[in-house]
């Protein structure tokens, strides 16, 4: 990354944080907006957010590290998140998850297979998201057909 | 009677569950054919999704498991033939309002879900919306609290605490500023009722929170929604905007002088943030670590101000209670469990979905009659009731009545009303292991028994599954559960023993598979 783009990034993050200055408890909305805009929360983002919201860097870092959703590295090209909640396990999600982790590269290059615990789709499991979109009644075959454009 | 496409409304659920099995594609295909499509909520018969409804002059006729490929055929039937031809179509399930799965239920909180257009304030009003708020605004705050107290309404988030008592505390605690906070974290596996009511009928939540605000004297409200629910977040934000536009939120609501502002805040993938004090920490922009009690949130909640914290379903029962009176609600139910409970049938079940009934129905009725047994067709072995911290109930114990007290007496809990069905292929030692693993992943880390004990629990069950020193490890597991149950600050650590020990109690054979003969006498100690 060049210095110029780092500066742009910091400017953008500062602008995002500034938009929430009048919100009570602004940190979570700011972190969500940074994730949505930039895909992850980098070290320099934490510093910029702390500065704008008048928090300590340690405080912001502590919040980022607590929540599963906030990532500090850029995301993979594609993400498959499979539910390991009990309801999905009752219809075989654990085996589907294990097998999918083992064959992630068969779905395409740079595919990350993640676990989630319940997507609120517990009557139509196994459930999962593919690049953020919810799917029910998943199987290895359905995963293959839903990700076929990734090759 | 001929039907022409543009005048007929076609309902294609926008509910996330329906979307997960293709409803968006179906809706797009109908729109491309020139149809007038309404994205309603789901009726809760989830095994039939996408369940498309076509409205004729007579009624709404349902079509089950519709795919994009069925649309051309349905359009043809609609545009050229009659109500009876719709009923004769191969995918027809008849008039939806007459479906026995629905007519045998008592829908109170879910009365409008799937029926109305969730984006329309007018449709909400036409189906009885805002009546509770209008009546509440004609009463004093104390009178509203009294009405809710008389209804017997108890918290639906899991703990079952009487809503009226909580509200009374907030009302009676003087403060320059008070808050209403709605717990829409719904993290329990096997539960989706909060999601479905918000996606299908979001104005009810807004009305319920506005009534709460009036009752306790709050001017600001927050809905804490889990990030796993993007459809619900969108539906709620759209509804809040519409409510502001029509004067149901903001300053001087309906000319009453009440001002109430409502904000949506999104969680970030932490189960513990469903615990109310952790949720408050998160709302304030901090790590979701559990607070020690006292003080309780009703006295010192958000930003140290009195805060009424309620679950989505608790809040959604409030408009009806105010519209029809607390006594009408209290007439439903049994013992100290008044009103209806929204049960959620999930997991390995043939007919999963929403069953709303007065408290007291048996687990057997729900799993066998409504659920129709397992999806796999194999025998039912167990059900986990009340989420990841709830007990496993063996099929032989399904006659238990589902109310707070009867469940507690049976060593189980109702929780948020989720029922997860398992067939006879389930390995209960693995499910016990999962309960410990889940606790270790989702622990907020504040107390040692929960943080460390759950990891020890996973290791211990791993040894049991591997057949190593089974008897000694079962004793160790029992000790660990005792430590978790007594030494944890909140129910995350405190109740994790519930699924673990109930699994062992009812299915010891799954734990003792690799036991040596001399182990058996010793293992009795841990049961
Ligand atoms: C680990 C844990 C998770 C919880 N998760 C939720 C949840 O997702 N939604 C909820 O409404 N209550 C949840 N609760 C219960 C809340 O702490 C609290 O009792 C509830 O929000 C109060 O509202 P109610 O009285 O309307 O139920 C959870 C409790 C614990 C201990
Ligand atoms: S029991 Fe677990 S989740 Fe609850 S406060 Fe203690 S460490 Fe946190
Ligand atoms: S348990 Fe998988 S969606 Fe709920």
């Amino acid at each position: 990354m060049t210095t110029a783009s780092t500066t742009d990034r910091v400017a953008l993050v500062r602008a995002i944080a500034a938009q929430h200055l009048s919100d009570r408890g602004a940190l979570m909305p700011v972190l969500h907006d940074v994730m949505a805009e930039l895909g992850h929360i980098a070290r320099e983002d934490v510093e910029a957010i702390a500065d704008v919201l008048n928090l300590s860097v340690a405080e912001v870092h502590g919040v980022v590290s607590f929540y599963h959703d906030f990532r500090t590295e850029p995301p993979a090209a594609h993400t498959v998140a499979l539910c390991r909640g009990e309801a999905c396990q009752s219809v075989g999600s654990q085996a589907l998850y294990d097998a999918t982790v083992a064959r992630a590269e068969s779905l395409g290059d740079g595919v990350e297979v993640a676990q989630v615990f319940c997507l609120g789709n517990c009557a139509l499991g196994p459930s999962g998201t593919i690049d953020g979109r919810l799917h029910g009644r998943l199987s290895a075959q359905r995963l293959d057909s839903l990700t076929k454009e990734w090759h | 009677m001929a039907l022409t496409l543009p005048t007929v409304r076609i309902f294609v659920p926008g509910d996330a569950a329906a979307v997960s099995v293709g409803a968006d594609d179906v809706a797009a295909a109908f729109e491309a054919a020139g149809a007038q499509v309404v994205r309603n909520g789901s009726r809760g018969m989830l095994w039939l999704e996408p369940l498309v409804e076509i409205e004729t002059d007579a009624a709404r006729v349902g079509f089950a498991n519709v795919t994009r490929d069925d649309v051309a055929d349905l359009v043809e039937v609609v545009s050229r033939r009659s109500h009876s031809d719709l009923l004769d179509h191969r995918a027809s399930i008849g008039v939806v309002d007459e479906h026995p799965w629905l007519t045998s239920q008592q829908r109170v909180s879910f009365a409008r879900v799937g029926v109305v257009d969730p984006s329309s304030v007018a449709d909400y009003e036409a189906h009885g919306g805002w009546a509770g708020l209008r009546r509440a605004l004609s009463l004093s705050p104390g009178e509203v609290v009294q009405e809710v107290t008389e209804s017997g309404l108890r918290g639906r988030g899991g703990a079952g605490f009487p809503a009226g008592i909580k509200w009374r505390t907030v009302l009676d605690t003087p403060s320059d500023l008070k808050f209403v906070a709605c717990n829409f974290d719904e993290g329990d596996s096997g539960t989706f009722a909060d999601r479905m009511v918000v996606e299908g009928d979001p104005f009810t939540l807004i009305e319920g929170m506005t009534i709460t605000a009036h009752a306790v004297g709050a001017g600001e409200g927050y809905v804490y929604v889990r990030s796993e629910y993007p459809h619900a977040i969108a539906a709620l934000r759209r509804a809040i905007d519409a409510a502001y536009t029509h004067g149901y939120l903001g300053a001087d609501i309906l000319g009453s002088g009440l001002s109430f502002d409502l904000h949506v805040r999104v969680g970030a993938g932490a189960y513990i943030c469903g615990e109310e004090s952790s949720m408050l920490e998160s709302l304030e922009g901090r790590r979701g670590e559990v607070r020690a009690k006292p003080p309780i949130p009703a006295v010192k909640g958000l930003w140290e101000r009195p805060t009424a914290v309620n679950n989505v379903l608790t809040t959604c029962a409030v408009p009806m209670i105010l519209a029809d009176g607390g006594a009408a609600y209290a007439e439903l139910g049994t013992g100290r469990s008044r009103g209806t409970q929204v049960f959620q049938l999930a997991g390995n079940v043939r007919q999963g979905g929403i069953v709303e009934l007065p408290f007291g129905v048996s687990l057997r009725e729900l799993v066998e009659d409504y659920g129709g047994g397992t999806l796999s067709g194999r025998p039912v072995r167990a059900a986990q009731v009340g989420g990841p911290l709830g007990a496993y109930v063996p099929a032989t114990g399904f006659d238990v009545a589902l109310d707070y007290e009867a469940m507690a007496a049976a060593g189980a809990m109702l929780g948020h009303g989720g029922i997860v069905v398992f067939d006879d292929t389930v390995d209960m030692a693995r499910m016990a292991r999962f309960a410990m693993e889940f606790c270790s992943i989702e622990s907020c880390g504040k107390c040692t028994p929960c943080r460390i004990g759950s990891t020890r629990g996973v290791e211990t069950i791993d040894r049991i599954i591997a057949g190593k020193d089974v008897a000694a490890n079962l004793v160790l597991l029992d000790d660990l559960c005792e430590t978790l149950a007594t030494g944890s600050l909140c129910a995350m650590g405190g109740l994790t023993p519930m699924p673990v020990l109930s699994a062992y109690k009812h299915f010891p054979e799954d734990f003792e598979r690799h036991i040596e003969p001399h182990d058996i006498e010793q293992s009795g100690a841990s049961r």
Side-chain angles (χ1 to χ4, degrees):
Chain A
M1 205 182 270
T2 65
T3 321
S5 72
T6 306
T7 319
D8 289 349
R9 182 178 179 114
V10 168
L12 180 57
V13 170
R14 294 187 72 92
I16 289 171
Q19 277 169 9
H20 291 278
L21 267 176
S22 61
D23 292 349
R24 287 185 209 277
L27 184 52
M28 295 284 285
V30 169
L31 294 175
H32 274 301
D33 283 2
V34 172
M35 285 292 299
E37 282 292 324
L38 297 163
H40 74 290
I41 298 159
R43 177 78 219 173
E44 64 265 27
D45 304 347
V46 170
E47 285 160 13
I49 293 165
D51 187 48
V52 175
L53 297 185
N54 201 15
L55 300 166
S56 75
V57 171
E59 247 175 298
V60 177
H61 175 75
V63 170
V64 170
S65 63
F66 183 85
Y67 296 95
H68 301 297
D69 284 2
F70 299 141
R71 49 190 311 151
T72 52
E73 299 292 332
H78 295 290
T79 305
V80 175
L82 295 175
C83 178
R84 290 185 63 219
E86 288 90 338
C88 286
Q89 284 194 42
S90 76
V91 286
S93 76
Q94 187 62 44
L96 181 67
Y97 173 76
D98 292 341
T100 310
V101 169
R103 70 175 189 105
E105 65 286 354
S106 77
L107 298 173
D109 288 338
V111 175
E112 179 185 304
V113 180
Q115 61 178 7
V116 282
F117 296 100
C118 196
L119 295 160
N121 195 32
C122 326
L124 296 175
S127 299
T129 61
I130 296 174
D131 283 345
R133 283 195 59 184
L134 179 67
H135 296 277
R137 295 283 188 241
L138 283 172
S139 61
Q141 295 87 304
R142 275 206 77 208
L143 272 179
D144 280 331
S145 77
L146 289 165
T147 58
K148 62 176 182 282
E149 288 137 42
W150 292 357
H151 288 283
Chain B
M1 174 195 62
L3 300 161
T4 49
L5 251 191
T7 59
V8 171
R9 291 200 300 171
I10 297 182
F11 294 81
V12 184
D15 178 276
V19 169
S20 85
V21 288
D24 281 351
D25 291 344
V26 172
F30 273 115
E31 272 161 3
Q36 188 192 337
V37 174
V38 176
R39 301 306 300 271
N40 58 331
S42 166
R43 298 280 195 150
M45 300 189 283
L46 294 174
W47 75 99
L48 299 178
E49 295 292 354
L51 173 62
V52 169
E53 294 176 54
I54 296 174
E55 187 178 51
T56 71
D57 290 343
R60 280 159 65 165
V61 181
F63 300 85
N65 304 121
V66 174
T67 69
R68 190 174 23 192
D69 299 338
D70 299 325
V71 169
D73 184 37
L74 282 172
V75 164
E76 201 257 346
V77 177
V78 172
S79 54
R80 300 204 325 186
R81 297 182 211 162
S82 63
H83 182 67
S84 61
D85 284 336
L86 284 176
L87 289 173
D88 290 341
H89 189 272
R90 65 185 157 75
S92 170
I93 60 157
V95 173
V96 176
D97 282 329
E98 292 168 6
H99 197 286
W101 212 79
L102 289 178
T103 53
S104 60
Q105 299 189 29
Q106 197 147 1
R107 292 219 166 164
V108 178
S109 299
F110 267 67
R112 280 181 289 259
V113 178
V115 177
V116 296
D117 175 353
S119 68
S120 165
V121 182
D123 210 14
Y124 182 63
E125 174 121 47
H127 286 82
W130 312 117
L133 177 62
R134 288 208 165 84
R135 175 145 178 273
L137 292 175
S138 75
L139 302 174
S140 72
E143 287 169 332
V144 177
V145 172
Q146 187 54 32
E147 198 79 73
V148 170
T149 305
E150 272 168 25
S151 76
L153 176 66
R154 291 169 69 175
R156 297 293 193 265
F161 190 82
I165 295 179
K166 191 183 287 186
W167 289 19
R168 168 59 65 187
T169 307
V170 181
L171 175 62
D172 289 347
T173 307
S175 175
D176 58 332
L177 192 63
K178 296 182 189 180
F179 296 100
V180 179
C182 180
N183 191 338
F184 187 9
D185 201 48
E186 195 166 63
D188 289 0
S189 161
T191 66
F192 41 82
D194 294 353
R195 178 185 67 68
M196 289 185 63
V197 77
V198 171
E199 290 178 7
D201 188 20
F203 294 108
T204 298
L205 183 70
I206 296 170
E207 184 179 352
M209 289 186 73
T210 309
I211 294 170
T212 312
H214 173 57
V216 304
E220 232 177 272
Y222 291 85
V223 183
Y224 187 84
V225 198
R226 64 201 302 253
S227 61
E228 291 84 350
Y229 282 1
H231 297 85
I233 294 167
L236 186 57
R237 289 203 161 126
R238 193 172 52 216
I240 288 175
D241 287 347
Y244 270 104
T245 306
H246 290 84
Y248 295 103
L249 283 174
D252 193 20
I253 292 168
L254 300 178
S256 68
L258 173 71
S259 292
F260 182 56
D261 283 310
L262 187 53
H263 308 274
V264 176
R265 288 296 165 83
V266 180
Y271 176 77
I272 194 58
C273 287
E275 193 283 331
E276 59 184 0
S277 69
S278 163
M279 178 187 87
L280 298 177
E281 286 291 301
S282 187
L283 278 170
E284 292 185 24
R286 282 194 290 274
R287 296 163 66 88
E289 284 171 6
V290 173
R291 296 178 182 172
K293 284 183 194 174
I296 55 170
V299 175
K300 266 190 181 182
L302 278 176
W303 295 285
E304 307 215 321
R305 302 306 205 292
T307 303
V309 180
N310 280 119
N311 168 257
V312 169
L313 289 182
T314 318
T315 309
C316 287
V318 168
M320 177 267 171
I321 289 169
L322 266 295
D324 299 349
Y329 193 77
E331 264 172 34
L332 303 168
T334 171
R336 293 202 295 118
S337 305
R338 309 313 313 175
T340 57
Q341 169 70 39
V342 179
F343 298 102
Q344 298 130 83
L345 281 175
N348 196 335
V349 65
R350 205 158 65 84
Q351 301 176 156
I354 295 289
V355 182
E356 183 173 2
L357 286 169
F359 284 98
V361 59
S362 77
L363 186 52
R364 187 175 307 287
E365 229 178 306
L366 285 175
V367 173
E368 291 178 2
D369 299 350
Y370 284 94
T374 62
L375 180 69
S376 62
R378 302 185 63 93
V380 176
R381 188 161 185 231
Q384 187 180 28
V385 184
L389 307 174
Y392 285 98
V393 180
T396 50
F398 278 11
D399 289 318
V400 61
L402 294 169
D403 68 64
Y404 296 112
E405 279 72 29
M407 285 296 279
M413 68 172 194
L414 197 49
H416 188 50
I419 296 165
V420 177
V421 180
F422 293 83
D423 73 10
D424 62 350
T425 62
V426 65
D427 179 339
M428 295 307 299
R430 294 220 164 267
M431 298 319 295
R433 182 195 189 279
F434 178 77
M436 284 291 190
E437 183 193 4
F438 185 71
C439 183
S440 74
I441 294 171
E442 298 295 343
S443 165
C444 85
K446 199 157 179 174
C447 35
T448 320
C450 172
R451 191 181 70 238
I452 312 282
S454 52
T455 305
R456 291 291 99 81
V458 172
E459 295 161 2
T460 307
I461 299 175
D462 275 341
R463 287 195 294 271
I464 292 168
I465 290 172
K468 288 183 197 144
D469 293 329
V470 174
N473 278 305
L474 282 169
V475 174
L476 182 60
L477 182 63
D478 205 44
D479 285 350
L480 269 171
C481 284
E482 174 77 20
T483 310
L484 275 169
T486 55
S488 298
L489 183 57
C490 85
M492 176 87 224
L495 289 179
T496 290
M498 185 108 110
V500 175
L501 293 179
S502 60
Y504 180 58
K505 178 176 175 202
H506 299 298
F507 306 97
E509 63 275 21
D510 287 17
F511 294 74
E512 293 168 355
R513 207 163 278 159
H514 306 281
I515 206 162
E516 299 296 322
H518 74 270
D519 279 348
I520 288 175
E521 293 137 48
Q522 296 165 33
S523 78
S526 60
R527 245 187 273 165

